[in-house]
Amino acid sequence: MEAAHAHDHAHGHAEHAHHPGGIMRWVMTTNHKDIGTLYLVFSLTMFFVGGVLALMLRAELFQPGLQLWRPDFFNELTTMHGLIMVFGAIMPAFVGFANWQIPMMIGALDMAFARMNNWSFWLLPPAAILLVVSFFVPGGATAAGWTIYAPLSTQMGPGMDLAIFALHIMGASSIMGSINIITTILNMRAPGMTLMKMPLFVWTWLITAYLLIAVMPVLAGAITMILTDRHFGTHFFNPAGGGDPVMFQHIFWFFGHPEVYIMILPAFGIVSQIVPTFARKPLFGYSSMVYATASIAILSFIVWAHHMFTVGMPAAAQLFFMYATMLIAVPTGVKVFNWVATMWKGALTFETPMLWACGFIFVFSMGGFTGLVLAITPVDIQLQDTYYVVAHFHYVLVAGSLFAIYGGAYYWLPKWSGRMYDETLGKWHFWLSMIFFNITFFPMHFSGLAGMPRRIPDYALQFADFNMISTIGAFGFGLAQLLFLVVLFKLRSGPKAADKSWEGAEGLEWTLPSPAPYHSFETPPVVK
Amino acid sequence: MTSTLARLFAAALALCADAALAAQYNLQPPQSVIAREIYDLHTLIMWIIVVIFVVVFGAMTYAIVKHRKSVGHKAEQFHENTTVEIVWTVIPFLILIGMAYPATKTVIAMKDTSSPDITIKATGYQWKWGYDYLQEGISFYSSLATPRDQIEGRAAKGEHYLLEVDNPVVVPVGKKIRIITTANDVIHAWWVPALGIKQDAIPGFVRDTWFRADNPGTYRGQCAELCGKDHGFMPIVVEAVTPEKYEAWVKEKKAQAQKVAAADAAPEKKWTLDELKQRGEKVYAANCVACHQANGMGTPPAFPPLSGSKMVNGPKGPHIDIVLNGKPGTAMAPFKHLSDADIAAVVTYERNAWNNKTGDMVTPDEVKAARK
C-alpha cells in the first residue's frame, strides 16, 4: 500500500540499507510493518476478487429465470465467493492489522518470530492462486458451498482438491500467525504494560489467536478426511461404507463457529480503539470488555450444532445448543452497551473512522438481533438455509468485520503513511457503503422469511422484487468500494499527519512519529 | 352516508391488500399447529428486539445528537459503574429466560412424532423427491413440472414457476402425518414453510418429523440443503384434501400401480422397439435429462455426453449395468429402483437417440437377468 512507500521515502536509507530493494525487499522482509502491509494489500486484492464473484451471482439473481450462468457455475460462484471472502479477505486483513499494530501498541520492537512472520504471509499467495486457478480445471471450482458438506464435496471434480490444498496452506499460515501473535503479546510488552493495561485491540487478538490455534487443526482434519474419502477409499462420510455425513457437519462447525468469532473479535477490538478516541473519553467498562470477549470465545466452543438444527438431533441436544447460543447474547450485549456508554456524555466528533465505528455498532447489532432470532430452535428450523441467514451473516461479516476493518484503516492510515487521507472522500465511501449495504441485504430478511432458499440460481416469482432490489444494492456497494482505492491513491499527496493524528487518541502508537519508524520501539517505553 | 360507507369499504380493501402484502414481509401464513407456534415465537421475539433496539439506539442517537463536540459538550471522564454493568448483564439474561420458555415447549412438540395416522417416506434424489406411503403401499417420484422453456426465458413464467411438480404429495387434513426422510446420494432437506417443517434428508440415515394440515390447500416448498447442480429445481408440493378425497386418491393410485405392474410383468407381453423408445424418452425426461441434457450432450466433464458415447454404442451389458448400479466415485447414481421395463426402455432409447444408431432393443427380461 501507499503506506509503505511513503515511509520508505520519509526514512532515508541509512537505517535499513542492508535490506534488498525493489521486489526482493517484499519477498525477504521480516519487518512487521512491511508484512502488515503485504497482508493488507493481499486482503484488499482478494476482497475485490470475491466481490466480483458476488456481483456475478447477484447479476444472475436480478430476474427470475436462468440468464447468465449454468446452475453448476452459479454454485461455483457462491462457494468461491464465500471461501475467498472468509479465508482470503477478512482473516488476512485482521492479521495485517495485528502485524502493524500489536508491536506498536505494546511497545515492542517487532513481532517475536520475524522470519516465521515472512513465511506465514508468503504462504497465502500460493493458496490464493490455487483457489482462483481451480475455476479453470476440468469441472471448475468446487461448487459444494463454503461449508463443503460431505457427501456433496466428494462428488466434486479436481477443483475440490485444489480448494482443500488451499485451505490447508491458509490454515498453516493462520496457525503460524497466531503463534507469533501470542508469543509477541505475552513476552514483548513494554515494562509496566500489564495484561489489564493492554489496549483492547491487543486483548481481542490474543483471544482470537488462541481460538485459531484451537480450531484450524480441526478444519484441517475435516478436509483431510474429505480428501481421503475422495481418493484413497476411506469412508469417513460415506454411509455405504459405514461412514456418517452428519459427523462432517459436527467437525466442520466445531471449527466453523469459533471461526465466525475469529472474524469478529478483532473487529470489536478496533471499534473499542476508535470510539474512545472520538468520544474523547476512556473506554467504558474496560475489564468487562475483556471478560465479555473471553466469555464469547469460550461459549463459541459449545454452540456449533446450532448450524445443524435441521439434521434431526434429539430434543435434548437441540435445547442445549439453543440455550448456549442464547447465552452469547449476554456478553455481546455488554459490549454494545459499553460502546454506547463510552459515547454517552463524551465530546463526539465524526471523522471517517468514527462513522465506520458508529455504523458498525448500529448495523452489527442488527445482525446480532437476527442472530437471536435464529438461536430459537423452532424459528431457526423455519429459517435455516434461507436468505434470512444470508442477511444475518452479511450483517455481521460485512457490516461487522468489514466496516471495522475500514474504520481501522482510516484510523491508522495517518500513522502508517504519515499522510492524512481525504476526509470528504472517506465520508462518501462510508455513507455510500452504509446505504447500499442496507439496500442489498435488508430485503434478504424478507425473501428469507417468505421462504426463499439460499444457494439457488433461480427463484419463484414472489421473490422477484426483493432480489431485484438486492442486486441493484450490490452493484452500488461494489462500485462504492472503488472509492477506497481513490482514497489510497490520493494518500501520497495528502497533508502531513501529526504524530498524534487524532485529538483524543491514546496509546503508545501515537507517541511514535508519523509515519512510524521502521523499527517501532528500539528502547522499550515505560508504561505507568 | 354513502360516502362514509364507501370510505369504510376502501379502508377494508386497503387492509386486505396490506395483509396480502404482509405475507411477503413475514413468514408464510401458518397452516399447522407447529407452524403457528413458530410464527408466534417469531413475532414475540421481534417485539422484544424492537423494544431493545429502541432503548439502546435511542440512547446512542441521543448521545450522537446532544453529546457532540460541535454543540459544545465537554467530555466527562467516567469509565466504569459496577451497578450499571451488573444490571445490564442480568436484565438480558432474564429476557432470554422469558424467550427460552415458549421455545422449549415448541421444540418438544416438534420432536413428538409418536402415533402418526399416516407415515410417508420422502427420499431425496439428485434432483427430485421419491415418496413411499408405508401403510398404503403407494410409491412415486415427484419432479419439477416447470417447462425448461420458462426457465430459459423462451416462454412466459407461470404462476407457480419452480414450485410445481408432476406428482404432489396428497395428505388428508386433520391427520397426523409423519414424514420420514432419507436420501439416495447427498444431503437434501424436505421443507414446506406453511406447514412449519424442515428436515434434512441424509443418505444412510433415517430422520423424522411431523405435521397436521389444518385446512385443505396446496402448500409449496423447496429442497433447503445445497445438493448440487439442480438444488434450486426440486420443489415439494403437498396437497391437503378432505379425508374422503384422500381415500379416493389412494384407491386410484393403487389401481394405477397395479395396472402398470400387471402390464409390465405379463409374460406374453411383446415389446417393440418403438414402444420401448417412446417409453424410454419419458423415463429419460424424468430421470436423466437434468445431467445428460435433452440433446444427450451432457455438461462435461462432470456429466458426460451420451450421444456418440463409446459406452452407449458398445455392448449392452455394461450399459445396463451402469444404469442399474451407477458408477462409484462419480455423480452417476444407481437407478435400480426403477422397474425392469423402465430401465429397458431408457437404455433402448439412449442406444437409438441422437447420434446413436445401434438399432439395439433391450428387453425387460435382459434387465431382470442383469439384476442378479
Side-chain angles (χ1 to χ4, degrees):
Chain A
M1 223 181 290
E2 318 303 314
H5 291 295
H7 105 231
D8 217 1
H9 297 306
H11 276 276
H13 305 284
E15 59 181 285
H16 48 94
H18 53 287
H19 293 286
I23 182 96
M24 286 320 279
R25 166 185 166 186
W26 297 100
V27 176
M28 317 234 333
T29 184
T30 53
N31 177 277
H32 75 101
K33 298 194 181 74
D34 284 354
I35 293 171
T37 304
L38 286 171
Y39 266 109
L40 291 171
V41 171
F42 173 82
S43 143
L44 191 63
T45 313
M46 295 311 280
F47 173 65
F48 280 105
V49 174
V52 168
L53 300 183
L55 294 185
M56 285 166 78
L57 68 92
R58 276 315 324 170
E60 174 61 58
L61 293 170
F62 185 62
Q63 283 182 324
L66 292 177
Q67 289 91 20
L68 300 174
W69 320 119
R70 288 174 287 113
D72 37 347
F73 183 66
F74 181 90
N75 290 346
E76 292 174 29
L77 289 176
T78 55
T79 304
M80 296 304 282
H81 165 69
L83 287 174
I84 286 178
M85 286 303 198
V86 167
F87 294 99
I90 300 291
M91 289 172 67
F94 284 128
V95 184
F97 275 95
N99 262 294
W100 259 102
Q101 286 307 123
I102 288 176
M104 290 204 285
M105 292 173 112
I106 62 171
L109 179 71
D110 202 308
M111 296 292 281
F113 303 120
R115 283 172 206 278
M116 187 168 81
N117 206 9
N118 169 291
W119 181 226
S120 50
F121 171 75
W122 281 107
L123 280 176
L124 289 180
I129 291 168
L130 283 179
L131 273 183
V132 174
V133 161
S134 74
F135 272 112
F136 306 101
V137 300
T142 167
W146 88 278
T147 49
I148 50 172
Y149 276 10
L152 184 60
S153 48
T154 50
Q155 276 188 357
M156 295 290 142
M160 186 72 234
D161 302 317
L162 294 186
I164 288 174
F165 296 145
L167 287 180
H168 267 307
I169 296 172
M170 286 170 159
S173 158
S174 288
I175 291 171
M176 283 194 271
S178 306
I179 292 172
N180 213 343
I181 287 167
I182 292 173
T183 314
T184 307
I185 296 175
L186 293 185
N187 295 292
M188 297 174 66
R189 298 193 309 280
M193 173 72 77
T194 58
L195 283 177
M196 287 310 271
K197 275 189 190 160
M198 292 196 309
L200 213 75
F201 176 71
V202 181
W203 254 117
T204 52
W205 242 117
L206 180 63
I207 292 168
T208 303
Y210 276 107
L211 284 182
L212 273 167
I213 290 183
V215 301
M216 291 312 287
V218 178
L219 174 69
I223 58 181
T224 306
M225 284 188 267
I226 297 251
L227 193 71
T228 60
D229 267 14
R230 287 167 56 78
H231 297 295
F232 305 111
T234 57
H235 295 112
F236 290 110
F237 308 124
N238 176 7
D244 182 348
V246 178
M247 183 176 74
F248 176 81
Q249 298 183 25
H250 281 293
I251 300 171
F252 180 85
W253 287 114
F254 189 81
F255 146 80
H257 201 78
E259 168 71 15
V260 307
Y261 294 116
I262 286 165
M263 291 189 282
I264 200 65
L265 293 182
F268 290 165
I270 291 174
V271 171
S272 304
Q273 301 301 130
I274 296 175
V275 172
T277 298
F278 297 95
R280 292 164 181 78
K281 197 168 155 274
L283 182 69
F284 187 88
Y286 171 89
S287 40
S288 70
M289 282 299 223
V290 173
Y291 300 140
T293 310
S295 341
I296 292 174
I298 292 164
L299 284 174
S300 77
F301 285 105
I302 55 163
V303 296
W304 77 89
H306 69 212
H307 298 269
M308 315 161 42
F309 280 143
T310 60
V311 299
M313 283 178 284
Q318 291 194 340
L319 291 175
F320 170 80
F321 285 108
M322 173 172 80
Y323 300 148
T325 306
M326 291 169 82
L327 271 185
I328 292 187
V330 176
T332 313
V334 165
K335 286 193 160 284
V336 174
F337 301 146
N338 280 338
W339 288 321
V340 173
T342 307
M343 293 167 72
W344 191 255
K345 300 211 166 164
L348 298 166
T349 52
F350 296 92
E351 289 87 344
T352 308
M354 184 62 165
L355 287 177
W356 286 107
C358 291
F360 168 95
I361 297 171
F362 181 70
V363 195
F364 169 79
S365 298
M366 306 229 288
F369 283 136
T370 51
L372 194 54
V373 173
L374 290 169
I376 308 298
T377 309
V379 182
D380 177 82
I381 285 175
Q382 190 71 288
L383 295 175
Q384 195 249 9
D385 265 320
T386 67
Y387 262 81
Y388 193 89
V389 174
V390 178
H392 161 71
F393 67 71
H394 282 94
Y395 266 79
V396 292
L397 270 179
V398 180
S401 308
L402 181 69
F403 278 23
I405 287 169
Y406 275 135
Y410 282 101
Y411 183 59
W412 282 308
L413 267 178
K415 176 56 61 188
W416 296 345
S417 68
R419 303 274 170 179
M420 289 305 282
Y421 59 85
D422 186 325
E423 191 65 52
T424 317
L425 269 180
K427 285 186 171 152
W428 270 100
H429 180 205
F430 167 74
W431 283 110
L432 289 177
S433 298
M434 182 75 173
I435 291 165
F436 280 116
F437 168 80
N438 281 293
I439 294 177
T440 311
F441 293 104
F442 203 76
M444 291 184 185
H445 292 114
F446 299 131
S447 38
L449 281 169
M452 177 166 166
R454 65 193 274 219
R455 294 165 164 174
I456 56 174
D458 192 7
Y459 46 83
L461 301 179
Q462 67 262 39
F463 310 124
D465 296 348
F466 290 134
N467 274 284
M468 191 173 276
I469 297 170
S470 285
T471 297
I472 293 169
F475 277 85
F477 187 81
L479 290 176
Q481 304 320 305
L482 297 177
L483 278 180
F484 188 61
L485 293 182
V486 181
V487 168
L488 291 180
F489 185 75
K490 288 186 69 180
L491 205 56
R492 268 169 207 279
S493 51
K496 218 168 150 3
D499 292 352
K500 190 176 161 184
S501 316
W502 308 108
E503 187 191 13
E506 300 282 344
L508 288 178
E509 76 262 42
W510 305 108
T511 64
L512 289 168
S514 295
Y518 202 61
H519 296 295
S520 304
F521 289 95
E522 305 226 6
T523 33
V526 177
V527 182
K528 277 174 277 228
Chain B
M1 186 68 206
T2 11
S3 71
T4 320
L5 265 179
R7 234 179 295 145
L8 265 176
F9 185 61
L13 257 184
L15 257 178
C16 291
D18 274 350
L21 206 63
Q24 263 196 15
Y25 291 92
N26 203 342
L27 293 166
Q28 295 182 13
Q31 299 291 342
S32 74
V33 189
I34 295 293
R36 198 166 320 110
E37 283 186 27
I38 292 174
Y39 190 96
D40 294 343
L41 263 176
H42 177 257
T43 310
L44 169 77
I45 294 158
M46 278 310 291
W47 280 116
I48 295 175
I49 286 172
V50 167
V51 172
I52 301 174
F53 183 90
V54 169
V55 171
V56 175
F57 291 100
M60 185 167 137
T61 311
Y62 184 85
I64 287 176
V65 174
K66 295 282 183 181
H67 304 154
R68 304 171 82 97
K69 196 184 175 199
S70 56
V71 297
H73 196 271
K74 291 270 177 295
E76 293 184 15
Q77 292 302 308
F78 64 87
H79 56 87
E80 56 191 356
N81 184 327
T82 314
T83 324
V84 173
E85 289 176 57
I86 289 175
V87 167
W88 71 36
T89 309
V90 171
I91 290 182
F93 191 77
L94 297 178
I95 296 175
L96 289 179
I97 292 176
M99 286 160 55
Y101 177 70
T104 303
K105 284 205 296 192
T106 307
V107 168
I108 290 167
M110 288 173 100
K111 276 283 165 192
D112 177 18
T113 51
S114 60
S115 41
D117 298 308
I118 292 169
T119 303
I120 304 170
K121 185 172 107 184
T123 308
Y125 295 86
Q126 283 172 317
W127 291 273
K128 60 175 177 285
W129 290 96
Y131 296 103
D132 298 279
Y133 286 61
L134 297 187
Q135 292 109 327
E136 292 75 5
I138 301 172
S139 296
F140 57 88
Y141 292 95
S142 177
S143 315
L144 178 72
T146 305
R148 289 305 294 180
D149 283 353
Q150 289 189 16
I151 296 171
E152 281 157 18
R154 289 187 296 269
K157 293 177 176 38
E159 187 192 354
H160 299 300
Y161 178 68
L162 295 190
L163 295 179
E164 50 201 347
V165 297
D166 49 2
N167 297 309
V169 179
V170 177
V171 297
V173 293
K175 292 277 198 284
K176 183 166 183 176
I177 316 289
R178 176 171 175 239
I179 299 283
I180 299 181
T181 65
T182 186
N184 185 53
D185 31 51
V186 299
I187 303 175
H188 304 265
W190 203 82
W191 178 35
V192 182
L195 300 173
I197 68 175
K198 181 188 285 153
Q199 176 59 56
D200 286 2
I202 303 163
F205 289 79
V206 169
R207 296 285 196 255
D208 66 352
T209 183
W210 70 277
F211 68 91
R212 184 183 277 124
D214 293 342
N215 303 302
T218 306
Y219 307 116
R220 296 168 198 277
Q222 282 176 271
C223 175
E225 183 65 60
L226 178 64
C227 56
K229 184 168 80 69
D230 282 348
H231 164 54
F233 304 94
M234 49 182 292
I236 294 146
V237 177
V238 175
E239 255 170 42
V241 297
T242 58
E244 299 76 44
K245 271 196 187 159
Y246 173 73
E247 289 305 325
W249 177 82
V250 169
K251 247 187 217 152
E252 186 203 342
K253 270 278 174 193
K254 274 186 175 165
Q256 226 176 29
Q258 265 164 7
K259 217 174 93 192
V260 174
D264 286 356
E268 69 277 13
K269 165 93 180 158
K270 277 277 173 272
W271 291 89
T272 67
L273 182 62
D274 282 339
E275 203 179 351
L276 279 169
K277 269 160 63 181
Q278 268 175 21
R279 177 162 174 166
E281 190 167 3
K282 282 186 200 138
V283 178
Y284 185 85
N287 296 284
C288 319
V289 76
C291 298
H292 294 294
Q293 305 295 307
N295 59 7
M297 293 314 290
T299 42
F303 310 112
L306 299 180
S307 178
S309 134
K310 268 193 199 141
M311 150 76 65
V312 176
N313 290 290
K316 291 187 212 170
H319 189 184
I320 299 174
D321 178 66
I322 199 171
V323 176
L324 268 178
N325 301 314
K327 188 174 177 191
T330 69
M332 180 64 195
F335 283 89
K336 49 176 170 252
H337 50 274
L338 298 180
S339 72
D340 292 344
D342 278 345
I343 289 186
V346 79
V347 172
T348 306
Y349 170 72
E350 287 171 4
R351 298 177 78 80
N352 294 290
W354 319 298
N355 293 327
N356 307 335
K357 299 187 171 61
T358 60
D360 288 345
M361 182 172 116
V362 176
T363 62
D365 286 342
E366 286 174 77
V367 177
K368 203 170 173 186
R371 276 188 201 267
K372 281 161 195 154

